[in-house]
């Protein structure tokens, strides 16, 4: 039986994962090194390897945690709720996620761009099942005439694309808009208007 970690061990583990997130989101999996992660964590490399046996183990731990965070906003879409309100709520939660977790968004994007070698099973499993489930809800709302008829999976994809862009291309967005703008506040207002028009019957 695995012994529970002490408070110090738990703190060190979180420190390592926070450092790994910073390094992976900046350099990608291939460009990141254990030495970089150890330096950011303020720990020795042997100490690092005491908690995680490899760079792959750290990356996998981050991805596993990240997928749950990424799926939660879609899980909250309530089939019994008002369709437009539920979809706009999902859009809002995705904008907030991009604002609050930009490094995690870039980590996920990097993994997908590499062909998802460490996440394929989860994407083809939990993620696909959830998208299928919510697509069925969207289809029912469309058949009931409560929102416009659209390809449901592509509606979800468009929400991902239009919200995660603000995290993955943060520097570009801020450079184009200028320092006097709040990209996420403006994105929230714009996407609310956009999807209201798109969903209108």
């Amino acid at each position: 039986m695995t012994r529970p970690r002490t408070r110090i061990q738990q703190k060190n583990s979180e420190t390592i994962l926070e450092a790994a997130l910073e390094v992976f989101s900046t350099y990608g999996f291939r460009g990141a090194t254990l030495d970089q992660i150890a330096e950011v964590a303020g720990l020795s490399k042997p100490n690092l390897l005491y908690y995680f046996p490899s760079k792959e183990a750290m990356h996998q731990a981050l991805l596993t945690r990240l997928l749950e965070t990424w799926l939660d906003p879609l899980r909250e879409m309530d089939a019994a709720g008002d369709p437009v309100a539920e979809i706009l709520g999902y859009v809002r939660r995705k904008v907030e996620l991009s604002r609050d977790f930009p490094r995690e968004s870039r980590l996920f994007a990097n993994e997908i761009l590499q062909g998802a070698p460490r996440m394929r099973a989860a994407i083809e499993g939990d993620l696909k099942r959830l998208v299928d489930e919510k697509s069925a809800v969207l289809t029912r709302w469309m058949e009931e005439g409560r929102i416009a008829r659209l390809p449901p999976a592509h509606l979800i994809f468009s929400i991902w694309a239009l919200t995660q862009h603000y995290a993955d291309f943060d520097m570009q967005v801020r450079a184009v808009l200028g320092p006097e703008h709040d990209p996420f506040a403006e994105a929230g207002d714009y996407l609310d208007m956009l999807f209201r028009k798109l969903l209108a019957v």
Side-chain angles (χ1 to χ4, degrees):
M1 181 180 295
T2 304
R3 296 172 61 182
R5 288 186 167 184
T6 66
R7 190 179 308 168
I8 292 175
Q9 288 174 326
Q10 185 63 34
K11 179 177 179 294
N12 285 344
S13 179
E14 290 300 322
T15 297
I16 292 167
L17 288 177
E18 174 67 19
L21 174 60
E22 182 65 29
V23 174
F24 286 135
S25 66
T26 302
Y27 301 103
F29 177 78
R30 293 174 184 167
T33 67
L34 288 173
D35 288 329
Q36 289 171 323
I37 296 170
E39 182 178 355
V40 173
L43 298 168
S44 67
K45 189 172 174 180
N47 204 358
L48 206 72
L49 294 171
Y50 170 80
Y51 291 93
F52 296 93
S54 65
K55 182 175 78 169
E56 288 79 4
M58 292 177 219
H59 198 254
Q60 187 62 57
L62 285 170
L63 290 174
T64 299
R65 179 185 297 181
L66 171 60
L67 187 61
E68 287 305 304
T69 301
W70 242 234
L71 294 181
D72 282 345
L74 185 54
R75 288 192 180 107
E76 292 176 29
M77 187 187 291
D78 185 1
D82 174 75
V84 174
E86 291 299 323
I87 294 167
L88 292 179
Y90 177 50
V91 173
R92 185 186 67 254
R93 291 190 295 274
K94 286 292 291 178
V95 171
E96 291 169 352
L97 204 63
S98 292
R99 180 195 65 202
D100 297 339
F101 299 97
R103 296 176 303 168
E104 289 84 347
S105 183
R106 290 192 290 273
L107 179 74
F108 185 80
N110 282 331
E111 175 69 9
I112 298 301
L113 287 171
Q114 293 173 23
R118 290 159 288 276
M119 285 193 76
R120 180 172 292 276
I123 289 171
E124 293 176 345
D126 292 346
L127 177 60
K128 185 180 186 313
R129 280 192 293 272
L130 182 60
V131 170
D132 288 345
E133 174 192 329
K134 297 305 181 180
S135 291
V137 172
L138 293 169
T139 298
R140 177 169 61 78
W141 287 340
M142 293 170 195
E143 290 173 347
E144 292 171 351
R146 301 171 75 187
I147 56 174
R149 288 187 175 273
L150 301 162
H154 290 279
L155 175 58
I156 294 172
F157 296 160
S158 70
I159 294 171
W160 295 349
L162 288 169
T163 55
Q164 289 168 217
H165 175 87
Y166 290 90
D168 300 342
F169 293 89
D170 179 71
M171 187 283 294
Q172 175 180 272
V173 169
R174 291 181 187 278
V176 171
L177 289 177
E180 69 277 12
H181 292 269
D182 180 345
F184 292 98
E186 293 177 14
D189 292 341
Y190 169 72
L191 293 174
D192 185 278
M193 175 190 68
L194 179 70
F195 280 100
R196 282 184 188 276
K197 290 185 176 182
L198 183 66
L199 297 168
V201 178

